Amino acid sequence: MIGKYIEKLVSFGIENLDPSDRTILGLLYQPVSMSDVKYDEDEDDDDDEEEEEEDGTGLGGSKKSRSKHKEQLPFLLSFLKYLYSGNYPRLGNKVSAFFSRLQDLGLHTQPRGRDELEEISPFTPRDLVRSVAVQLKAELQKMYKNGSCELHKKV
């Protein structure tokens, strides 16, 4: 669903992005700074595999740049909980806005109406999606960072 969303935005062109799309993209991807690019270049020169990140992402970069973006994991958790349970996010106005945007683009239809809110599912989404959300966060960051660093090297 995220991939289809990104492909749809690419087809619009960057100059035609809606402000809500920019907000959503900011929640999906951690910004890449020049220090991250520098770290990536240094890592290419060293080729050491002994460095692991404290947060388990293995992405490198400075602690400062990683700590700037603390909304990504809660956003992804709320996103995945909604996908699993079909219950609307409680505090997830940004997630609700994302799903509204997906509906506007024809990429998502709601599984239930608002009158069926808080239906109990057999497994709690919190327990089920936590590890998936952490892995999704790591993969999204890695793809975005690697692509950004590759673009920087070409320029």
Side-chain angles (χ1 to χ4, degrees):
M1 189 177 293
I2 293 172
K4 287 183 179 185
Y5 172 70
I6 299 298
E7 287 174 3
K8 189 71 115 170
L9 294 183
V10 168
S11 71
F12 293 157
I14 193 158
E15 62 279 350
N16 297 323
L17 282 183
D18 198 61
S20 65
D21 290 324
R22 292 183 189 277
T23 301
I24 292 166
L25 288 173
L27 291 167
L28 288 173
Y29 300 103
Q30 179 178 352
V32 176
S33 67
M34 288 306 294
S35 64
D36 293 329
V37 173
K38 176 73 174 118
Y39 181 86
D40 187 62
E41 289 172 355
D42 292 344
E43 201 172 70
D44 286 346
D45 294 340
D46 296 340
D47 282 335
D48 290 334
E49 295 182 19
E50 60 193 53
E51 231 174 293
E52 266 305 308
E53 291 305 310
E54 296 153 11
D55 63 358
T57 62
L59 295 176
S62 65
K63 285 183 184 178
K64 185 178 177 184
S65 68
R66 286 192 312 267
S67 65
K68 279 191 230 174
H69 202 286
K70 294 184 184 229
E71 292 183 5
Q72 185 181 25
L73 185 59
F75 177 81
L76 292 173
L77 277 168
S78 207
F79 170 76
L80 292 172
K81 285 178 190 176
Y82 170 78
L83 285 179
Y84 172 75
S85 70
N87 292 330
Y88 291 89
R90 288 184 186 155
L91 302 173
N93 291 337
K94 293 175 183 177
V95 176
S96 296
F98 180 43
F99 279 107
S100 294
R101 184 66 176 141
L102 290 173
Q103 286 176 332
D104 293 345
L105 297 173
L107 300 174
H108 176 69
T109 55
Q110 292 178 346
R112 310 182 225 185
R114 286 219 179 249
D115 57 334
E116 297 174 300
L117 275 175
E118 298 308 318
E119 182 177 303
I120 304 298
S121 51
F123 300 99
T124 59
R126 181 183 317 121
D127 299 334
L128 190 63
V129 302
R130 175 83 181 156
S131 64
V132 176
V134 170
Q135 187 61 37
L136 178 60
K137 175 186 176 200
E139 291 299 318
L140 286 171
Q141 286 177 345
K142 186 168 73 174
M143 287 187 299
Y144 184 71
K145 180 181 178 274
N146 290 346
S148 297
C149 290
E150 287 298 316
L151 283 173
H152 177 74
K153 289 175 188 175
K154 288 180 182 180
V155 174

